Amino acid sequence: MTETLRLQARELFWPPADGLTATTERIRARLGDWPPTHAPWRICLTPPDAPNGGDLIVVTDAAPHLANIARWMLNGAGVLEAAQGRATLHLGGERYALEGELAEDWIPALAAFLDCGFDPHDALVLALAWRDGDEAREDAWPVDFSRFPRVPGLPDAPAQPFAPCPERLGIYPVLPTADWVERVLDYGARTVQLRSKQPKSPELMREIERCVAAGRKHADARVFINDHWREALAAGAYGVHLGQEDLRDADLGALAASGVRLGLSTHGYYEMLIAVHFRPSYVALGAVFPTTTKVMPTAPQGLARLARYVKLLDGVVPLVAIGGIDGAVLPRVLATGVGSAAVVRAVTEAADPAVAVAALQNAFTQ
């Protein structure tokens, strides 16, 4: 028998809808034990008189509401336009568009995934991957990638897919200088990344060239260059790692044609859909834990989400976990099934980096 989970301590829908609430409770009970959401979202099936920052206002056609939408969003509300297999969320100055199946229970499913703590755009992806009756499955969570929606309007993926890299890249130190890249390759790591904070300059180009040369010294090494794709391409690098924001400017066609491997950062389901569209060599999933090495656009994902991401994308694209990972948590990260883990301070701030690299590599053989 399907369990239920009572969510009546807060208002899920406006106007109140007992039938939708009951369905939401039934779905939510089958999604597992997730920390309670810190954002009490309310899905508004009709516009409330005084919308606020916790409201997602659902409309089938934005045109009749144009005069009010700006006011709603100024008050912090989101607007969700949904009809005929398309759903577009306008929230926080961003637009998230999706095409997929709108099941009869997609709105209760959306409420349930919001209650699991997912941001609205990621909860919306899951709601469009939901199918009526999924709560009766042994594992109700959407994990069939073929059922997931797509992001319309993206540039075409390169005609030639990006060159593949090994399915399991192992320990993946992310390093600040060519000196570090050379040292860590000599310690035995075989997948590394240069994440240089230098501005574009002749010195940066020399750093990248040194890293590429260090990779060639070790026949089985895989050296990725973060962000600086033009310089990496000119130097003949094995791979390039880009963030989502870099996709607007990078010449992905030129990179793919050159044989360069491409890794793409993601921070949730919506960005995964974008990344997979471009057929990269690997996808990075993070940040798993809090990290101080860079400013993150989202809260830490945690191990439960990482495990779900791995179950969804395993066999679709190689995966790298990243963010706040060190030797103490690495076994739990690998228990999710992910084939690679990026580390920063676990190597660069280690008392003995050579010993640290060996210990981290050993975790993959346990």
Side-chain angles (χ1 to χ4, degrees), residues 218-341:
H218 302 275
D220 54 349
R222 299 172 287 270
V223 178
F224 288 84
I225 307 300
N226 185 277
D227 286 351
H228 301 288
W229 62 270
R230 292 182 181 87
E231 291 80 0
L233 189 59
Y238 174 90
V240 172
H241 183 92
L242 299 177
Q244 297 266 320
E245 67 282 358
D246 301 312
L247 291 172
R248 303 184 189 97
D249 302 318
D251 188 340
L252 299 183
L255 286 170
S258 75
V260 168
R261 281 76 174 172
L262 176 68
L264 290 178
S265 294
T266 66
H267 307 93
Y269 282 107
Y270 190 86
E271 290 189 354
M272 285 179 216
L273 297 181
I274 295 173
V276 172
H277 166 80
F278 291 106
R279 298 182 292 182
S281 307
Y282 74 79
V283 167
L285 308 168
V288 180
F289 301 107
T291 176
T292 61
T293 59
K294 62 185 296 188
V295 177
M296 300 307 300
T298 57
Q301 301 290 311
L303 289 171
R305 292 193 189 195
L306 177 62
R308 283 298 176 185
Y309 299 158
V310 171
K311 195 165 186 179
L312 174 66
L313 293 179
D314 187 35
V316 176
V317 62
L319 302 172
V320 177
I322 188 168
I325 298 172
D326 59 20
V329 300
L330 182 57
R332 290 189 289 146
V333 171
L334 298 181
T336 67
V338 71
S340 181

Side-chain angles (χ1 to χ4, degrees), residues 7 10 12-13 24 43 106-116:
L7 301 174
R10 64 184 183 86
L12 294 176
F13 300 101
T24 299
I43 299 175
W106 79 270
I107 288 180
L110 173 61
F113 289 117
L114 288 169
D115 190 73
C116 291

